[in-house]
Amino acid sequence: MKKLINDPKNVVDESVAGFALAHADLVTLSTEPLFIARSDAPVSGKVGLVSGGGSGHEPLHAGFVGFGMLDAAVPGPVFTSPTPDPIIAATQAVDGGSGVLHIVKNYTGDVLNFETAADLAEAEGITVRTVIVDDDVAVKDSLYTAGRRGVAGTVLVEKIAGAAAERGDSLDEVAAVAEKVVAQVRSMGVALTPSVVPHAGEPSFTLADDEIEIGIGIHGEPGRAKISLEPADQIVDRLLEPILEDLPFASGDDVLLFVNGMGGTPQIELYILYRRAAEVLAERGITVTRSLVGNYVTALEMQGASLTVLKLDDELTTLWDAPVQTAALRWGR
């Protein structure tokens, strides 16, 4: 194993410190307890948005803190949920008087710890709503979840809910928009190689040189099947078919197509996947009106990708297009 680290125990602290230094115009860093917040937080009268989870998925979540998206992100240890204490502190730090929305990926540790933090924040007079993201169609349950996993669709929930909060929607309205995105977004991924957690020093699972895993999670948890490596177009077809059947998507739909890299896959390959996915959608009469391609929800250095499709309407399209200024997403401002 070769990694550009110092002590494995300090990976998250040192990485978050570097992130805060690199983006000091956008964010501020709290070290005790550890969280990243908007530099202008709290924004008076605006609903605050807090998300977080295990590290190793960068730029999720800290990379999405800023105008038009999250107000705070709480990083836990690699692939491990943060404890309630920093979640409570982040919630307090971004409460502008209109309540706080927690956006939580459906992993057992995240759900339990955010739930505990929400209860404690409510006891202190902060109104909290929680939205659980469970967009992965690959498996119903996994090593980490009861029900479907929350994966790349989380980015779309954070962006669209963030825009609703920025325009002045109430807490109930922002939560309703976030729930609408959760209801209309589906994802599925593939791994070509495993990732290596720094403190473990060895791959989190094994794949033969000619094997891939279909339906992989973002922590290396298993998917639907290990199969022999196939051409990219066939892999896209394997990922896209369950997505389209699940909602289901139909001819006449407008959608956002998101091709997400898992950390170790170059852009040249992601655009090959995008090309085929757009082709299949067009054949089904589904129109791609918005798109996103890149490494946004990663699993350390895993080679692989995920496809995400969000059914759009006028409201969601307007909110997606709204200005955003974060380290990882920025347009219109």
Side-chain angles (χ1 to χ4, degrees):
M1 179 191 74
K2 289 186 284 188
K3 288 183 179 288
L4 295 171
I5 63 173
N6 297 305
D7 186 332
K9 296 192 298 290
N10 298 330
V11 164
V12 173
D13 287 345
E14 291 179 358
S15 177
V16 174
F19 176 86
L21 288 169
H23 302 290
D25 59 323
L26 297 174
V27 303
T28 57
L29 170 66
S30 167
T31 56
E32 293 293 339
L34 186 66
F35 67 89
I36 290 281
R38 272 175 65 156
S39 56
D40 58 351
V43 180
S44 179
K46 188 185 85 68
V47 172
L49 269 65
V50 177
S51 192
S55 296
H57 306 303
E58 290 72 22
L60 194 75
H61 292 275
F64 303 118
V65 173
F67 179 91
M69 213 158 172
L70 295 178
D71 292 86
V74 188
V78 174
F79 292 176
T80 303
S81 172
T83 62
D85 286 349
I87 301 170
I88 297 166
T91 301
Q92 294 168 331
V94 305
D95 177 31
S98 295
V100 176
L101 179 69
H102 286 173
I103 299 174
V104 185
K105 301 188 302 301
N106 191 34
Y107 292 94
T108 301
D110 289 347
V111 171
L112 292 176
N113 288 336
F114 270 88
E115 183 179 83
T116 300
D119 289 343
L120 294 170
E122 291 268 8
E124 296 182 7
I126 301 173
T127 304
V128 178
R129 298 283 184 273
T130 300
V131 171
I132 306 295
V133 184
D134 58 354
D135 55 308
D136 184 14
V137 305
V139 292
K140 180 180 178 182
D141 298 289
S142 75
L143 299 176
Y144 296 80
T145 64
R148 296 181 172 190
R149 303 174 292 208
V151 288
T154 309
V155 176
L156 311 187
V157 177
E158 292 175 352
K159 167 63 184 81
I160 290 171
E166 206 68 63
R167 74 181 179 185
D169 286 15
S170 70
L171 178 57
D172 286 344
E173 290 168 336
V174 175
V177 165
E179 293 283 11
K180 182 178 179 180
V181 178
V182 171
Q184 296 183 188
V185 66
R186 300 290 187 272
S187 301
M188 190 165 172
V190 60
L192 281 63
T193 66
S195 55
V196 178
V197 177
H199 63 263
E202 58 186 30
S204 54
F205 60 97
T206 57
L207 286 172
D209 288 345
D210 63 345
E211 264 187 333
I212 61 175
E213 178 111 22
I214 297 292
I216 198 73
I218 58 174
H219 305 93
E221 66 270 37
R224 289 189 173 188
K226 290 181 181 180
I227 65 170
S228 296
L229 179 63
E230 298 175 331
D233 285 3
Q234 290 176 241
I235 293 171
V236 168
D237 293 351
R238 285 184 181 272
L239 299 179
L240 198 53
E241 187 65 32
I243 290 172
L244 298 180
E245 290 179 351
D246 193 87
L247 191 56
F249 293 87
S251 178
D253 285 347
D254 291 337
V255 301
L256 186 158
L257 173 59
F258 174 22
V259 177
N260 174 65
M262 301 300 288
T265 299
Q267 292 261 347
I268 193 170
E269 296 176 25
L270 297 181
Y271 282 109
I272 291 172
L273 303 181
Y274 183 92
R275 179 200 115 272
R276 175 58 179 171
E279 182 180 80
V280 172
L281 291 170
E283 290 170 355
R284 302 278 188 106
I286 298 169
T287 303
V288 178
T289 61
R290 298 294 184 273
S291 60
L292 186 66
V293 180
N295 290 282
Y296 292 101
V297 182
T298 62
L300 295 171
E301 75 279 46
M302 179 187 287
Q303 292 180 19
S306 61
L307 302 182
T308 297
V309 183
L310 168 64
K311 183 176 179 178
L312 292 172
D313 58 20
D314 289 345
E315 179 187 34
L316 297 187
T317 301
T318 297
L319 291 169
W320 176 258
D321 289 346
V324 60
Q325 187 175 8
T326 69
L329 280 185
R330 55 177 69 196
W331 58 71
R333 192 178 188 215

